[in-house]
Amino acid sequence: MTTIKSYSNRQLFLSTYKNTLWKIKWAALMYLIFSFIIYPGMYMSSVKRILIYNENGALTKDYIENMFCGHGNVYTQFSSILYMLLIIVVAMLLGIIVNSYMHNKKQIDVYHALPIKREIMMSANYAAVATVMIVPVIICFLSVVCINSLSSISLIKNGFESGITTTGAILSEMVRMIIYILSFLSIIFLSCVCANTTLDAVIFSLSLSEIIPLTIMLSNLILSTYVKGYTLNQNFFGKGVLCSPINMIFVSVVGKSSDYSSSDLFKNINIMTYVWVVLAILFFAAALIIYKKRKSEIAQSSNISGFVYKLVMTVGVFGIASVSAIITSTMSGNQYTSIMTIIFAGIYGFLYYFILQGIFTRSMKLKITNHVVLILCILAAPLFMVLARTGWFGYENYIPNPENIKSANIDYYGMYKDESVMNNQTGESLSRKTIKYTNENEKNIIRTIHKTILENQDANNEDEYPEYLNCTIEYELKNGKTVTRDYFEYIPKDMYKKLMLLNESPELKNQKCNVFIAPVEQLDDVKITTGYGENLEFDEKYKTKENYEMLIQAIKNDMLAETLNDLTEHRGAYKCHIYLNYDIKDFIYSSPGYIITDKYVNTLSALKEMGIDLSDKKELPQGCKMDIQTPCYFENRFIQPNINYYSESAYNESNSFCTITDPELIKEILENAIIADADFNGPLCYITIKKGYGTANYFIYPDNLPKELKDELNSHYVG
């Protein structure tokens, strides 16, 4: 039933709504004009260039992708920034203008004397500003829809497979933009109600919009600085950064349509868009409730006792004091992890309290208006830093119990660091967190390494701890949670020996080596290179699926049988390198090649069955030559150097030492050479064998060179 009161309220709402629209009509008109020029205008200009490229037959998908950005390729690279800035600035100005009467003692008495409820007045003002902001957005996006539809017809008609984007993508982005604008307006109206002056309203609007993202980013900065092993929670951090409608507006234009759906960033945008629908309603509801109880006499006053004032003061001082303390401590020569940073943070907290108070009160009189806020400003940053330095509630020293670990991982690939496979369609690749160790032995190795890191986490003496560790350790727990730690620490040298034990793990080989991962049925070709630079190929009759399967299985069996000793200093007599080439639609496959020694009995047997017999020592092919370079110092960080005949300072550069063509001398040198892919220590000469276009590379210790070459080398560099 319609009552006189409700009818009157509705009429008052419409009347106030129209009056507010009339009040800001010129600002609305200018906003519409600039919006149309910046967004549809620039979009049309870019589309025109695309059509010209298409007519010339030079148009590609990459060209369109590079020209547009955002969800569905909606914005041009230049207009995306200008358009977002225009929306934010105009929303701020209009929101402040229509609520400026709240911060003027004369005007607020007049407005509050009008026969209209406060919540109706604010709702009408909000609706008017929202109309002015949203109508141009709708006009601009619908214009882009029309331009895109006409250009798509032209592109498809002229042979291009699709248009620039879809109407659905454009309309979807329009809805997003409307949500972000309404959310920002809700914060502005809430800020205007809580502020006593227009300047305070501006400060509050920006502060409330960015307070959560800035606090999260600052907290992560402090934690990553002080907490050893601290790992940023990307999912939480991503959502935290988007706890601001301003950030949502800008971030929505980042990236391409091709990676929009798969990117974690845009997944978070999708989630936070729904969150901001709820937050926009809550913020505006809070503004209405506070406005109903707001006292008119606080307009233009310097009272800073409100909750928002206290929040902005405390968080603002916390942020400024923390950053200032870290900068001052670093510039003064103190370690930024030292106790001086904590002292500086307290001092800066005390100073910035009075500075911010002076800004809000428009007075530089040093007066304590709220003891609780002062205490928080002085203690917030130092307390946070102390908690971080003392392990952050056990975070720093936490290692899961063995019985709770489902799998463990450390970003160490050992002898297989150059292996890689990437999916062309999804872009997924083998990353450092791909290998999951489920065997109890490997899990215990990783836990032991983790314990060693924690025991030496305060080491900074490079003489005692000459090795620097950069790794990530990750545990997947049986309860579904994941524990991840990143370390950048000095550690004892012998800790790397523990890492070497993982080379024996079948799980490392099965999950990292391409020979175990890539589909055998799609093996296209096999290349074989011998130690003399020869390239061998199978006869066509041996290039069958069955033979390739036999060869792959033989390589797998031999690799799984390798011990740690085989992989380091005693790999056996070198026979050849095997390179596997795949014709795989969805994958990019790369491998450095597999070293085949006389210990690869299964592989050598399979090669022999396929017509290549490497069991007998082959004669040196005619036309080979060997180039030897002067030694460079190599130090394998896993095994301590045990050759000290040459000093590291004696050879800081490697140059061509001599070229040998004598077949017998070449064979003699090769007998003591080291496979280039093996681990080694100390000063080594680099050897290159060439025959035509084929090359093979080795290393040799200077002491193992023939006597005449060693004497000649010593005469140049020793003494």
Side-chain angles (χ1 to χ4, degrees), residues 252-533:
S252 66
V253 304
V254 178
K256 307 292 183 182
S257 60
S258 57
D259 59 16
Y260 196 97
S261 59
S262 61
S263 169
D264 288 338
L265 170 66
F266 292 113
K267 288 178 181 177
N268 287 332
I269 287 179
N270 291 335
I271 295 172
M272 293 305 295
T273 299
Y274 294 109
V275 171
W276 273 109
V277 172
V278 178
L279 290 178
I281 297 172
L282 293 178
F283 279 129
F284 185 67
L288 291 177
I289 294 172
I290 296 173
Y291 186 46
K292 287 178 65 176
K293 300 178 180 180
R294 187 179 190 273
K295 296 180 179 180
S296 301
E297 56 268 22
I298 68 173
Q300 291 183 298
S301 70
S302 60
N303 178 26
I304 56 173
S305 60
F307 171 76
V308 177
Y309 278 101
K310 296 175 183 178
L311 178 65
V312 173
M313 282 277 290
T314 305
V315 176
V317 170
F318 167 73
I320 301 172
S322 299
V323 174
S324 300
I326 293 175
I327 293 174
T328 303
S329 183
T330 304
M331 293 180 64
S332 63
N334 292 295
Q335 291 265 346
Y336 58 82
T337 56
S338 70
I339 192 65
M340 290 304 299
T341 312
I342 297 174
I343 296 174
F344 284 142
I347 295 172
Y348 279 119
F350 181 79
L351 293 176
Y352 286 128
Y353 166 82
F354 291 104
I355 292 175
L356 284 184
Q357 179 183 266
I359 293 173
F360 285 130
T361 60
R362 313 300 187 268
S363 172
M364 292 310 295
K365 293 181 180 180
L366 299 181
K367 181 181 179 182
I368 299 175
T369 58
N370 192 303
H371 291 82
V372 175
V373 174
L374 175 61
I375 293 172
L376 287 175
C377 289
I378 296 175
L379 296 182
L383 180 61
F384 195 93
M385 292 179 181
V386 168
L387 291 173
R389 290 199 68 203
T390 54
W392 196 245
F393 305 102
Y395 179 98
E396 195 169 65
N397 297 313
Y398 175 68
I399 300 178
N401 294 324
E403 62 271 15
N404 298 328
I405 300 174
K406 180 180 179 181
S407 67
N409 169 62
I410 186 170
D411 54 333
Y412 169 70
Y413 291 157
M415 300 300 298
Y416 314 107
K417 59 182 178 296
D418 294 326
E419 299 270 355
S420 65
V421 173
M422 185 176 73
N423 190 301
N424 271 334
Q425 294 183 350
T426 65
E428 296 177 356
S429 62
L430 291 179
S431 66
R432 66 185 185 183
K433 296 180 181 178
T434 299
I435 301 173
K436 295 183 178 181
Y437 298 96
T438 57
N439 185 280
E440 292 301 322
N441 181 53
E442 279 75 17
K443 288 193 291 186
N444 288 331
I445 290 174
I446 293 175
R447 290 187 77 255
T448 301
I449 293 170
H450 196 173
K451 287 180 180 178
T452 305
I453 294 172
L454 295 180
E455 290 168 358
N456 297 275
Q457 61 183 328
D458 293 325
N460 54 18
N461 187 336
E462 294 190 33
D463 295 328
E464 185 180 355
Y465 300 91
E467 291 294 345
Y468 197 74
L469 178 70
N470 180 350
C471 77
T472 295
I473 296 176
E474 184 178 84
Y475 302 99
E476 183 184 2
L477 305 184
K478 293 178 181 179
N479 61 8
K481 296 182 179 179
T482 300
V483 176
T484 307
R485 298 290 185 268
D486 290 327
Y487 291 104
F488 308 90
E489 310 290 339
Y490 287 102
I491 47 92
K493 276 190 175 183
D494 60 359
M495 201 215 74
Y496 280 105
K497 294 181 181 179
K498 299 180 178 68
L499 276 173
M500 286 291 289
L501 297 173
L502 295 175
N503 279 293
E504 291 184 320
S505 170
E507 291 184 302
L508 174 62
K509 299 171 184 178
N510 276 292
Q511 296 181 58
K512 178 58 182 172
C513 297
N514 295 332
V515 70
F516 289 91
I517 300 172
V520 178
E521 61 272 12
Q522 292 179 304
L523 180 63
D524 181 57
D525 191 18
V526 179
K527 300 287 185 182
I528 301 174
T529 302
T530 68
Y532 299 117

Side-chain angles (χ1 to χ4, degrees), residues 585-620:
K585 179 181 179 182
D586 295 334
F587 288 89
I588 296 174
Y589 168 81
S590 63
S591 171
Y594 297 98
I595 302 172
I596 307 302
T597 68
D598 59 355
K599 294 186 178 182
Y600 275 59
V601 292
N602 296 298
T603 304
L604 293 174
S605 176
L607 290 173
K608 188 174 182 179
E609 286 189 42
M610 298 175 70
I612 295 179
D613 188 359
L614 298 173
S615 58
D616 297 329
K617 187 174 182 179
K618 297 177 68 66
E619 293 295 326
L620 183 67

Side-chain angles (χ1 to χ4, degrees), residues 36-212:
F36 198 86
I37 293 173
I38 291 174
Y39 184 20
M42 290 185 178
Y43 186 87
M44 184 183 301
S45 177
S46 298
V47 169
K48 185 177 179 180
R49 277 187 286 167
I50 287 176
L51 295 177
I52 293 174
Y53 264 64
N54 187 53
E55 291 176 0
N56 297 334
L59 184 63
T60 63
K61 283 185 176 180
D62 290 339
Y63 183 80
I64 295 178
E65 288 287 331
N66 292 329
M67 183 169 287
F68 298 102
C69 62
H71 177 47
N73 289 349
V74 177
Y75 307 100
T76 65
Q77 301 288 345
F78 190 62
S79 68
S80 60
I81 303 299
L82 289 181
Y83 189 49
M84 302 308 128
L85 283 174
L86 179 67
I87 288 175
I88 292 170
V89 171
V90 173
M92 174 73 76
L93 288 175
L94 294 181
I96 296 296
I97 288 172
V98 299
N99 291 298
S100 61
Y101 69 91
M102 296 184 191
H103 313 127
N104 187 295
K105 289 183 178 181
K106 294 180 179 179
Q107 291 184 14
I108 196 169
D109 289 335
V110 174
Y111 274 84
H112 287 175
L114 296 174
I116 181 174
K117 292 183 178 180
R118 292 186 182 185
E119 57 268 31
I120 295 176
M121 183 187 301
M122 175 170 281
S123 299
N125 289 337
Y126 182 89
V129 176
T131 301
V132 169
M133 293 299 304
I134 291 173
V135 170
V137 169
I138 295 174
I139 293 173
C140 288
F141 274 89
L142 292 180
S143 300
V144 170
V145 168
C146 295
I147 297 169
N148 176 71
S149 300
L150 294 174
S151 64
S152 298
I153 294 173
S154 177
L155 290 175
I156 296 172
K157 183 179 179 181
N158 291 326
F160 198 71
E161 57 189 27
S162 64
I164 296 173
T165 185
T166 63
T167 300
I170 300 174
L171 296 179
S172 173
E173 187 63 17
M174 180 185 73
V175 173
R176 291 171 185 272
M177 189 58 63
I178 291 173
I179 292 173
Y180 305 154
I181 291 173
L182 293 177
S183 301
F184 189 39
L185 288 178
S186 296
I187 292 178
I188 294 172
F189 273 69
L190 176 60
S191 300
C192 289
V193 172
C194 295
N196 299 340
T197 66
T198 300
L199 178 60
D200 291 348
V202 174
I203 295 174
F204 287 178
S205 297
L206 296 176
S207 298
L208 292 179
S209 295
E210 297 293 341
I211 196 167
I212 295 178

